[in-house]
Amino acid sequence: TSPAKADSLDQEAIIVSIDEAKSSITFRNMEIGRDYTLSYNGLTSFRNTYDEELVISQLQSGDIVETTFVKSEKMARMVRLHKMAFTSEGVTEFEINKTAKTMSFGGKQYSLDENLLVTADGQTVDLMDINSADTLRINGMDHVVESICVEKGHGYIRLQGDEYFIGGWIEVGKNIIKPISEDMLLVVPEGDYEVLVSNKGY
């Protein structure tokens, strides 16, 4: 028997996650904010905005796509990157206004979609988890941000035995230099750093 033809279309979905071991993709329908999972197989067509064939590993969480599928089988027939979507990668300078539900980067202001997807390390996280030290990949349509993916996250540095160094300075890598205060907690982008602590010549 020939495979069933696609009978359903989602014109604007976001890839939440891809499970290559289970050959499945979880999508978020942006109209109603509902997540659903479809299987894929060798007959599923993955395409870029120019309608050229892709392989599944070229898609990632946060991508805005349109998809056709067989509803009864929950089987994807086609997943294509949305022609009207934009992607900004490596964004380090940004401002998020959680109250106004807006975001600024690259000299422009965008509103945040009410069904916004935020991911880090392949997991769905809260907008509150994003820190100014993070590096982001942002996807959206027109002036609306629909997904924010943390490409590089952040960590924390706390000094122990810091009573000898209060009033001195801490340097983390080449970009972070701060005066040392009691029980201070430094937020730093993920990575490897040389850390220097100094006070009164020590």
Side-chain angles (χ1 to χ4, degrees):
T1 60
S2 60
K5 281 202 163 71
D7 57 14
S8 299
L9 163 70
D10 190 346
Q11 288 183 301
E12 194 180 327
I14 286 184
I15 294 176
V16 177
S17 60
I18 299 170
D19 188 334
E20 289 195 49
K22 289 182 180 168
S23 296
S24 70
I25 306 172
T26 299
F27 300 91
R28 176 167 297 175
N29 174 290
M30 290 311 286
E31 213 173 312
I32 57 173
R34 200 174 125 254
D35 293 1
Y36 61 94
T37 301
L38 299 175
S39 299
Y40 63 87
N41 59 21
L43 297 170
T44 306
S45 168
F46 299 106
R47 298 183 170 275
N48 66 13
T49 52
Y50 303 107
D51 243 5
E52 299 160 339
E53 287 282 342
L54 297 175
V55 291
I56 185 70
S57 58
Q58 289 175 284
L59 295 173
Q60 52 192 338
S61 68
D63 283 344
I64 302 171
V65 296
E66 52 181 320
T67 178
T68 62
F69 54 98
V70 182
K71 201 170 193 175
S72 59
E73 299 174 11
K74 293 188 173 171
M75 175 63 71
R77 282 280 165 258
M78 189 233 11
V79 179
R80 179 170 54 209
L81 289 171
H82 205 292
K83 289 185 164 101
M84 305 300 288
F86 70 81
T87 300
S88 296
E89 296 183 290
V91 178
T92 53
E93 302 281 325
F94 58 88
E95 261 182 51
I96 297 173
N97 184 327
K98 296 178 184 80
T99 316
K101 294 194 170 144
T102 59
M103 178 175 197
S104 306
F105 64 93
K108 291 182 186 164
Q109 184 168 308
Y110 301 82
S111 53
L112 298 173
D113 195 287
E114 61 177 340
N115 297 315
L116 175 77
L117 173 75
V118 185
T119 62
D121 295 325
Q123 303 293 315
T124 306
V125 296
D126 201 281
L127 191 61
M128 306 284 284
D129 297 323
I130 291 179
N131 186 281
S132 57
D134 295 340
T135 302
L136 309 177
R137 186 175 84 255
I138 301 165
N139 295 280
M141 304 261 279
D142 294 324
H143 290 285
V144 181
V145 169
E146 297 192 1
S147 74
I148 301 172
C149 305
V150 177
E151 290 182 328
K152 272 191 183 169
H154 60 277
Y156 301 93
I157 295 179
R158 188 191 291 285
L159 295 176
Q160 287 183 314
D162 61 355
E163 58 270 17
Y164 300 107
F165 291 99
I166 289 168
W169 294 85
I170 182 167
E171 289 180 50
V172 182
K174 294 189 167 48
N175 296 326
I176 300 171
I177 301 172
K178 300 259 185 189
I180 297 169
S181 56
E182 202 173 344
D183 293 328
M184 76 184 292
L185 188 65
L186 269 185
V187 182
V188 293
E190 68 178 68
D192 296 319
Y193 299 97
E194 189 170 290
V195 178
L196 296 171
V197 178
S198 61
N199 190 26
K200 297 179 184 143
Y202 290 100

